[in-house]
Amino acid sequence: MAEQFKGVLEIDAVRGVIYFHHETGVTMLRICSLPTPVPAKTTTLLDITHGVGVNWNGRGRSE
């Protein structure tokens, strides 16, 4: 089952970074090293595909 969170999506188009800040103020997600400029004002889907051969580490697990 998918989880949903309330908060703010921040797009730093110049630096190529997208953040999601939970309504509590905690930054829950950071996507970085994106090609620039990131389309900051889009009304369509911004499709980001995870890189090949890259893994993610968080809270003691690797996927």
Side-chain angles (χ1 to χ4, degrees):
M1 181 175 201
E3 294 186 59
Q4 295 182 0
F5 302 93
K6 292 183 180 181
V8 175
L9 185 68
E10 176 187 353
I11 299 175
D12 188 331
V14 175
R15 291 180 49 232
V17 183
I18 298 176
Y19 301 94
F20 178 75
H21 307 288
H22 189 266
E23 64 185 357
T24 62
V26 173
T27 300
M28 294 182 68
L29 175 69
R30 181 184 74 179
I31 304 170
C32 55
S33 299
L34 295 171
T36 56
V38 176
K41 294 184 180 182
T42 180
T43 57
T44 61
L45 173 69
L46 182 59
D47 190 7
I48 301 168
T49 302
H50 191 264
V52 175
V54 180
N55 47 344
W56 174 79
N57 291 305
R59 295 190 178 198
R61 51 181 202 165
S62 179
E63 299 182 76

